[in-house]
Amino acid sequence: MPSTATDVFHQALEHLLAKDMPGFIALFADDAVMEFPFAPPGRPSRVTGRAELHDYLIDYPQTLDIRELTDVTVHETADPEVIVAEFTATGVVVATGEPYRLRYIAVLTVRAGRIAHYRDYWNPLAVQELFGEGARA
């Protein structure tokens, strides 16, 4: 099991690239919270608990085929449980075959080797262009 918040984040990226959503979801605490501060209307701004995260994320690879994660930078904070991560995801929108490229900033809190809180910042306008109204990133 990864030991630091940075280690957990890098393992999460490995699971995303491998399209291993069960492995990605397993990195979250049972009572984890995932927030999307810029979620467009009709999409959740908050998902709570691993079961709800599972339902929200399990089919992600059928929506987005993430093929590369680049420009990964992790900023460690004064709190060893909290990091700020920046990265770019590139791939393909599965339904249309259109290329996908989006920059993300995420704030993670990791306790006891599990993600307790994941705040995901992304551009909803770019996502809506690719997917149409109310899509997930």
Side-chain angles (χ1 to χ4, degrees), residues 64-93:
L64 278 178
D65 178 6
I66 300 297
R67 297 182 177 174
E68 188 175 27
L69 296 165
T70 59
D71 305 319
V72 178
T73 303
V74 176
H75 305 278
E76 295 182 350
T77 70
D79 182 343
E81 294 183 334
V82 178
I83 60 169
V84 178
E86 302 177 69
F87 59 97
T88 300
T90 57
V92 174
V93 178

PDB file of all heavy atoms in Angstrom, residues 64-93:
ATOM      1  N   LEU A  64     -14.490   7.985 -21.497  1.00  0.00           N
ATOM      2  CA  LEU A  64     -13.214   8.564 -21.900  1.00  0.00           C
ATOM      3  C   LEU A  64     -12.154   7.484 -21.943  1.00  0.00           C
ATOM      4  O   LEU A  64     -11.972   6.755 -20.973  1.00  0.00           O
ATOM      5  CB  LEU A  64     -12.759   9.619 -20.890  1.00  0.00           C
ATOM      6  CG  LEU A  64     -13.336  11.003 -21.021  1.00  0.00           C
ATOM      7  CD1 LEU A  64     -12.788  11.887 -19.903  1.00  0.00           C
ATOM      8  CD2 LEU A  64     -13.027  11.609 -22.366  1.00  0.00           C
ATOM      9  N   ASP A  65     -11.470   7.408 -23.065  1.00  0.00           N
ATOM     10  CA  ASP A  65     -10.336   6.502 -23.203  1.00  0.00           C
ATOM     11  C   ASP A  65      -9.080   7.332 -22.951  1.00  0.00           C
ATOM     12  O   ASP A  65      -8.526   7.934 -23.873  1.00  0.00           O
ATOM     13  CB  ASP A  65     -10.333   5.885 -24.597  1.00  0.00           C
ATOM     14  CG  ASP A  65      -9.152   4.971 -24.851  1.00  0.00           C
ATOM     15  OD1 ASP A  65      -8.369   4.715 -23.903  1.00  0.00           O
ATOM     16  OD2 ASP A  65      -9.004   4.515 -25.994  1.00  0.00           O
ATOM     17  N   ILE A  66      -8.674   7.406 -21.677  1.00  0.00           N
ATOM     18  CA  ILE A  66      -7.484   8.166 -21.324  1.00  0.00           C
ATOM     19  C   ILE A  66      -6.261   7.365 -21.755  1.00  0.00           C
ATOM     20  O   ILE A  66      -6.079   6.226 -21.353  1.00  0.00           O
ATOM     21  CB  ILE A  66      -7.427   8.446 -19.800  1.00  0.00           C
ATOM     22  CG1 ILE A  66      -8.654   9.246 -19.357  1.00  0.00           C
ATOM     23  CG2 ILE A  66      -6.126   9.164 -19.422  1.00  0.00           C
ATOM     24  CD1 ILE A  66      -8.770  10.617 -19.956  1.00  0.00           C
ATOM     25  N   ARG A  67      -5.442   7.984 -22.588  1.00  0.00           N
ATOM     26  CA  ARG A  67      -4.277   7.294 -23.131  1.00  0.00           C
ATOM     27  C   ARG A  67      -2.960   7.828 -22.608  1.00  0.00           C
ATOM     28  O   ARG A  67      -1.933   7.148 -22.704  1.00  0.00           O
ATOM     29  CB  ARG A  67      -4.303   7.381 -24.657  1.00  0.00           C
ATOM     30  CG  ARG A  67      -5.519   6.659 -25.214  1.00  0.00           C
ATOM     31  CD  ARG A  67      -5.570   6.680 -26.693  1.00  0.00           C
ATOM     32  NE  ARG A  67      -6.727   5.918 -27.172  1.00  0.00           N
ATOM     33  CZ  ARG A  67      -7.073   5.860 -28.434  1.00  0.00           C
ATOM     34  NH1 ARG A  67      -6.364   6.488 -29.363  1.00  0.00           N
ATOM     35  NH2 ARG A  67      -8.133   5.152 -28.786  1.00  0.00           N
ATOM     36  N   GLU A  68      -2.990   9.046 -22.067  1.00  0.00           N
ATOM     37  CA  GLU A  68      -1.750   9.627 -21.562  1.00  0.00           C
ATOM     38  C   GLU A  68      -2.069  10.664 -20.491  1.00  0.00           C
ATOM     39  O   GLU A  68      -3.051  11.402 -20.595  1.00  0.00           O
ATOM     40  CB  GLU A  68      -0.991  10.283 -22.724  1.00  0.00           C
ATOM     41  CG  GLU A  68       0.383  10.754 -22.377  1.00  0.00           C
ATOM     42  CD  GLU A  68       1.137  11.296 -23.587  1.00  0.00           C
ATOM     43  OE1 GLU A  68       0.502  11.772 -24.547  1.00  0.00           O
ATOM     44  OE2 GLU A  68       2.375  11.247 -23.545  1.00  0.00           O
ATOM     45  N   LEU A  69      -1.230  10.690 -19.478  1.00  0.00           N
ATOM     46  CA  LEU A  69      -1.293  11.710 -18.432  1.00  0.00           C
ATOM     47  C   LEU A  69       0.065  12.391 -18.422  1.00  0.00           C
ATOM     48  O   LEU A  69       1.090  11.739 -18.197  1.00  0.00           O
ATOM     49  CB  LEU A  69      -1.615  11.083 -17.077  1.00  0.00           C
ATOM     50  CG  LEU A  69      -2.985  10.428 -16.996  1.00  0.00           C
ATOM     51  CD1 LEU A  69      -3.085   9.518 -15.787  1.00  0.00           C
ATOM     52  CD2 LEU A  69      -4.081  11.468 -16.979  1.00  0.00           C
ATOM     53  N   THR A  70       0.072  13.688 -18.715  1.00  0.00           N
ATOM     54  CA  THR A  70       1.329  14.417 -18.849  1.00  0.00           C
ATOM     55  C   THR A  70       1.312  15.647 -17.953  1.00  0.00           C
ATOM     56  O   THR A  70       0.296  15.984 -17.343  1.00  0.00           O
ATOM     57  CB  THR A  70       1.554  14.851 -20.303  1.00  0.00           C
ATOM     58  OG1 THR A  70       0.469  15.689 -20.707  1.00  0.00           O
ATOM     59  CG2 THR A  70       1.673  13.657 -21.235  1.00  0.00           C
ATOM     60  N   ASP A  71       2.440  16.326 -17.958  1.00  0.00           N
ATOM     61  CA  ASP A  71       2.586  17.570 -17.195  1.00  0.00           C
ATOM     62  C   ASP A  71       2.156  17.380 -15.748  1.00  0.00           C
ATOM     63  O   ASP A  71       1.506  18.246 -15.158  1.00  0.00           O
ATOM     64  CB  ASP A  71       1.786  18.710 -17.842  1.00  0.00           C
ATOM     65  CG  ASP A  71       2.149  18.932 -19.297  1.00  0.00           C
ATOM     66  OD1 ASP A  71       3.342  18.866 -19.627  1.00  0.00           O
ATOM     67  OD2 ASP A  71       1.234  19.154 -20.113  1.00  0.00           O
ATOM     68  N   VAL A  72       2.510  16.225 -15.182  1.00  0.00           N
ATOM     69  CA  VAL A  72       2.111  15.907 -13.809  1.00  0.00           C
ATOM     70  C   VAL A  72       3.052  16.630 -12.840  1.00  0.00           C
ATOM     71  O   VAL A  72       4.270  16.444 -12.893  1.00  0.00           O
ATOM     72  CB  VAL A  72       2.148  14.390 -13.553  1.00  0.00           C
ATOM     73  CG1 VAL A  72       1.787  14.078 -12.110  1.00  0.00           C
ATOM     74  CG2 VAL A  72       1.219  13.663 -14.522  1.00  0.00           C
ATOM     75  N   THR A  73       2.461  17.447 -11.999  1.00  0.00           N
ATOM     76  CA  THR A  73       3.201  18.148 -10.952  1.00  0.00           C
ATOM     77  C   THR A  73       2.439  17.977  -9.654  1.00  0.00           C
ATOM     78  O   THR A  73       1.225  18.194  -9.612  1.00  0.00           O
ATOM     79  CB  THR A  73       3.329  19.655 -11.269  1.00  0.00           C
ATOM     80  OG1 THR A  73       3.959  19.810 -12.541  1.00  0.00           O
ATOM     81  CG2 THR A  73       4.134  20.372 -10.212  1.00  0.00           C
ATOM     82  N   VAL A  74       3.142  17.589  -8.608  1.00  0.00           N
ATOM     83  CA  VAL A  74       2.530  17.440  -7.293  1.00  0.00           C
ATOM     84  C   VAL A  74       3.162  18.470  -6.363  1.00  0.00           C
ATOM     85  O   VAL A  74       4.388  18.546  -6.248  1.00  0.00           O
ATOM     86  CB  VAL A  74       2.727  16.022  -6.731  1.00  0.00           C
ATOM     87  CG1 VAL A  74       2.175  15.926  -5.313  1.00  0.00           C
ATOM     88  CG2 VAL A  74       2.056  14.993  -7.637  1.00  0.00           C
ATOM     89  N   HIS A  75       2.304  19.251  -5.728  1.00  0.00           N
ATOM     90  CA  HIS A  75       2.738  20.246  -4.752  1.00  0.00           C
ATOM     91  C   HIS A  75       2.382  19.720  -3.367  1.00  0.00           C
ATOM     92  O   HIS A  75       1.202  19.554  -3.055  1.00  0.00           O
ATOM     93  CB  HIS A  75       2.034  21.583  -4.982  1.00  0.00           C
ATOM     94  CG  HIS A  75       2.185  22.108  -6.368  1.00  0.00           C
ATOM     95  ND1 HIS A  75       3.301  22.806  -6.790  1.00  0.00           N
ATOM     96  CD2 HIS A  75       1.375  22.022  -7.452  1.00  0.00           C
ATOM     97  CE1 HIS A  75       3.154  23.140  -8.062  1.00  0.00           C
ATOM     98  NE2 HIS A  75       2.000  22.670  -8.491  1.00  0.00           N
ATOM     99  N   GLU A  76       3.398  19.423  -2.588  1.00  0.00           N
ATOM    100  CA  GLU A  76       3.149  18.992  -1.227  1.00  0.00           C
ATOM    101  C   GLU A  76       2.907  20.236  -0.377  1.00  0.00           C
ATOM    102  O   GLU A  76       3.453  21.305  -0.659  1.00  0.00           O
ATOM    103  CB  GLU A  76       4.310  18.140  -0.728  1.00  0.00           C
ATOM    104  CG  GLU A  76       4.395  16.851  -1.535  1.00  0.00           C
ATOM    105  CD  GLU A  76       5.491  15.908  -1.091  1.00  0.00           C
ATOM    106  OE1 GLU A  76       6.334  16.289  -0.265  1.00  0.00           O
ATOM    107  OE2 GLU A  76       5.493  14.776  -1.600  1.00  0.00           O
ATOM    108  N   THR A  77       2.073  20.097   0.622  1.00  0.00           N
ATOM    109  CA  THR A  77       1.698  21.239   1.461  1.00  0.00           C
ATOM    110  C   THR A  77       2.289  21.068   2.859  1.00  0.00           C
ATOM    111  O   THR A  77       2.933  20.056   3.160  1.00  0.00           O
ATOM    112  CB  THR A  77       0.167  21.357   1.564  1.00  0.00           C
ATOM    113  OG1 THR A  77      -0.337  20.272   2.343  1.00  0.00           O
ATOM    114  CG2 THR A  77      -0.490  21.374   0.186  1.00  0.00           C
ATOM    115  N   ALA A  78       2.044  22.048   3.713  1.00  0.00           N
ATOM    116  CA  ALA A  78       2.510  21.970   5.096  1.00  0.00           C
ATOM    117  C   ALA A  78       1.858  20.804   5.833  1.00  0.00           C
ATOM    118  O   ALA A  78       2.412  20.291   6.802  1.00  0.00           O
ATOM    119  CB  ALA A  78       2.219  23.285   5.818  1.00  0.00           C
ATOM    120  N   ASP A  79       0.693  20.375   5.369  1.00  0.00           N
ATOM    121  CA  ASP A  79       0.007  19.213   5.932  1.00  0.00           C
ATOM    122  C   ASP A  79       0.403  18.001   5.108  1.00  0.00           C
ATOM    123  O   ASP A  79       0.069  17.923   3.918  1.00  0.00           O
ATOM    124  CB  ASP A  79      -1.505  19.432   5.876  1.00  0.00           C
ATOM    125  CG  ASP A  79      -2.303  18.297   6.472  1.00  0.00           C
ATOM    126  OD1 ASP A  79      -1.755  17.183   6.645  1.00  0.00           O
ATOM    127  OD2 ASP A  79      -3.501  18.523   6.761  1.00  0.00           O
ATOM    128  N   PRO A  80       1.087  17.008   5.657  1.00  0.00           N
ATOM    129  CA  PRO A  80       1.537  15.864   4.862  1.00  0.00           C
ATOM    130  C   PRO A  80       0.401  15.016   4.290  1.00  0.00           C
ATOM    131  O   PRO A  80       0.637  14.204   3.392  1.00  0.00           O
ATOM    132  CB  PRO A  80       2.387  15.054   5.847  1.00  0.00           C
ATOM    133  CG  PRO A  80       1.972  15.505   7.192  1.00  0.00           C
ATOM    134  CD  PRO A  80       1.493  16.918   7.050  1.00  0.00           C
ATOM    135  N   GLU A  81      -0.813  15.228   4.775  1.00  0.00           N
ATOM    136  CA  GLU A  81      -1.958  14.479   4.245  1.00  0.00           C
ATOM    137  C   GLU A  81      -2.581  15.156   3.034  1.00  0.00           C
ATOM    138  O   GLU A  81      -3.450  14.579   2.385  1.00  0.00           O
ATOM    139  CB  GLU A  81      -3.029  14.299   5.322  1.00  0.00           C
ATOM    140  CG  GLU A  81      -2.592  13.421   6.481  1.00  0.00           C
ATOM    141  CD  GLU A  81      -3.681  13.203   7.509  1.00  0.00           C
ATOM    142  OE1 GLU A  81      -4.587  14.069   7.638  1.00  0.00           O
ATOM    143  OE2 GLU A  81      -3.642  12.166   8.187  1.00  0.00           O
ATOM    144  N   VAL A  82      -2.166  16.385   2.710  1.00  0.00           N
ATOM    145  CA  VAL A  82      -2.802  17.167   1.647  1.00  0.00           C
ATOM    146  C   VAL A  82      -1.782  17.500   0.562  1.00  0.00           C
ATOM    147  O   VAL A  82      -0.693  17.989   0.843  1.00  0.00           O
ATOM    148  CB  VAL A  82      -3.413  18.465   2.204  1.00  0.00           C
ATOM    149  CG1 VAL A  82      -4.022  19.308   1.079  1.00  0.00           C
ATOM    150  CG2 VAL A  82      -4.466  18.162   3.270  1.00  0.00           C
ATOM    151  N   ILE A  83      -2.174  17.224  -0.697  1.00  0.00           N
ATOM    152  CA  ILE A  83      -1.369  17.613  -1.849  1.00  0.00           C
ATOM    153  C   ILE A  83      -2.256  18.329  -2.864  1.00  0.00           C
ATOM    154  O   ILE A  83      -3.475  18.159  -2.873  1.00  0.00           O
ATOM    155  CB  ILE A  83      -0.683  16.411  -2.533  1.00  0.00           C
ATOM    156  CG1 ILE A  83      -1.711  15.395  -3.035  1.00  0.00           C
ATOM    157  CG2 ILE A  83       0.345  15.774  -1.609  1.00  0.00           C
ATOM    158  CD1 ILE A  83      -1.141  14.322  -3.952  1.00  0.00           C
ATOM    159  N   VAL A  84      -1.610  19.104  -3.709  1.00  0.00           N
ATOM    160  CA  VAL A  84      -2.267  19.718  -4.865  1.00  0.00           C
ATOM    161  C   VAL A  84      -1.564  19.161  -6.090  1.00  0.00           C
ATOM    162  O   VAL A  84      -0.335  19.244  -6.202  1.00  0.00           O
ATOM    163  CB  VAL A  84      -2.159  21.254  -4.826  1.00  0.00           C
ATOM    164  CG1 VAL A  84      -2.799  21.871  -6.065  1.00  0.00           C
ATOM    165  CG2 VAL A  84      -2.781  21.812  -3.544  1.00  0.00           C
ATOM    166  N   ALA A  85      -2.332  18.553  -6.978  1.00  0.00           N
ATOM    167  CA  ALA A  85      -1.762  17.917  -8.162  1.00  0.00           C
ATOM    168  C   ALA A  85      -2.285  18.595  -9.421  1.00  0.00           C
ATOM    169  O   ALA A  85      -3.466  18.930  -9.502  1.00  0.00           O
ATOM    170  CB  ALA A  85      -2.125  16.439  -8.180  1.00  0.00           C
ATOM    171  N   GLU A  86      -1.394  18.783 -10.373  1.00  0.00           N
ATOM    172  CA  GLU A  86      -1.745  19.316 -11.686  1.00  0.00           C
ATOM    173  C   GLU A  86      -1.374  18.269 -12.720  1.00  0.00           C
ATOM    174  O   GLU A  86      -0.321  17.641 -12.620  1.00  0.00           O
ATOM    175  CB  GLU A  86      -0.958  20.593 -11.980  1.00  0.00           C
ATOM    176  CG  GLU A  86      -1.148  21.705 -10.985  1.00  0.00           C
ATOM    177  CD  GLU A  86      -0.259  22.888 -11.342  1.00  0.00           C
ATOM    178  OE1 GLU A  86      -0.521  23.541 -12.373  1.00  0.00           O
ATOM    179  OE2 GLU A  86       0.708  23.123 -10.598  1.00  0.00           O
ATOM    180  N   PHE A  87      -2.242  18.093 -13.714  1.00  0.00           N
ATOM    181  CA  PHE A  87      -1.922  17.150 -14.779  1.00  0.00           C
ATOM    182  C   PHE A  87      -2.816  17.410 -15.983  1.00  0.00           C
ATOM    183  O   PHE A  87      -3.849  18.067 -15.889  1.00  0.00           O
ATOM    184  CB  PHE A  87      -2.054  15.693 -14.313  1.00  0.00           C
ATOM    185  CG  PHE A  87      -3.412  15.297 -13.806  1.00  0.00           C
ATOM    186  CD1 PHE A  87      -4.321  14.657 -14.619  1.00  0.00           C
ATOM    187  CD2 PHE A  87      -3.778  15.567 -12.492  1.00  0.00           C
ATOM    188  CE1 PHE A  87      -5.575  14.282 -14.145  1.00  0.00           C
ATOM    189  CE2 PHE A  87      -5.018  15.197 -12.004  1.00  0.00           C
ATOM    190  CZ  PHE A  87      -5.921  14.555 -12.834  1.00  0.00           C
ATOM    191  N   THR A  88      -2.387  16.869 -17.115  1.00  0.00           N
ATOM    192  CA  THR A  88      -3.152  16.939 -18.348  1.00  0.00           C
ATOM    193  C   THR A  88      -3.500  15.522 -18.772  1.00  0.00           C
ATOM    194  O   THR A  88      -2.631  14.650 -18.803  1.00  0.00           O
ATOM    195  CB  THR A  88      -2.345  17.625 -19.470  1.00  0.00           C
ATOM    196  OG1 THR A  88      -2.014  18.956 -19.040  1.00  0.00           O
ATOM    197  CG2 THR A  88      -3.134  17.687 -20.767  1.00  0.00           C
ATOM    198  N   ALA A  89      -4.774  15.306 -19.060  1.00  0.00           N
ATOM    199  CA  ALA A  89      -5.236  14.007 -19.556  1.00  0.00           C
ATOM    200  C   ALA A  89      -5.515  14.137 -21.042  1.00  0.00           C
ATOM    201  O   ALA A  89      -6.177  15.083 -21.481  1.00  0.00           O
ATOM    202  CB  ALA A  89      -6.496  13.569 -18.820  1.00  0.00           C
ATOM    203  N   THR A  90      -5.003  13.198 -21.812  1.00  0.00           N
ATOM    204  CA  THR A  90      -5.296  13.162 -23.239  1.00  0.00           C
ATOM    205  C   THR A  90      -5.806  11.771 -23.588  1.00  0.00           C
ATOM    206  O   THR A  90      -5.440  10.779 -22.962  1.00  0.00           O
ATOM    207  CB  THR A  90      -4.065  13.493 -24.095  1.00  0.00           C
ATOM    208  OG1 THR A  90      -3.016  12.600 -23.785  1.00  0.00           O
ATOM    209  CG2 THR A  90      -3.603  14.922 -23.874  1.00  0.00           C
ATOM    210  N   GLY A  91      -6.648  11.734 -24.582  1.00  0.00           N
ATOM    211  CA  GLY A  91      -7.217  10.474 -25.019  1.00  0.00           C
ATOM    212  C   GLY A  91      -8.273  10.701 -26.063  1.00  0.00           C
ATOM    213  O   GLY A  91      -8.163  11.612 -26.892  1.00  0.00           O
ATOM    214  N   VAL A  92      -9.342   9.893 -25.976  1.00  0.00           N
ATOM    215  CA  VAL A  92     -10.402   9.919 -26.978  1.00  0.00           C
ATOM    216  C   VAL A  92     -11.757   9.849 -26.279  1.00  0.00           C
ATOM    217  O   VAL A  92     -11.930   9.083 -25.329  1.00  0.00           O
ATOM    218  CB  VAL A  92     -10.245   8.714 -27.945  1.00  0.00           C
ATOM    219  CG1 VAL A  92     -11.400   8.622 -28.921  1.00  0.00           C
ATOM    220  CG2 VAL A  92      -8.924   8.792 -28.680  1.00  0.00           C
ATOM    221  N   VAL A  93     -12.701  10.642 -26.771  1.00  0.00           N
ATOM    222  CA  VAL A  93     -14.085  10.531 -26.330  1.00  0.00           C
ATOM    223  C   VAL A  93     -14.643   9.288 -27.013  1.00  0.00           C
ATOM    224  O   VAL A  93     -14.703   9.213 -28.240  1.00  0.00           O
ATOM    225  CB  VAL A  93     -14.898  11.782 -26.723  1.00  0.00           C
ATOM    226  CG1 VAL A  93     -16.356  11.627 -26.308  1.00  0.00           C
ATOM    227  CG2 VAL A  93     -14.275  13.035 -26.126  1.00  0.00           C
TER     228      VAL A  93
END
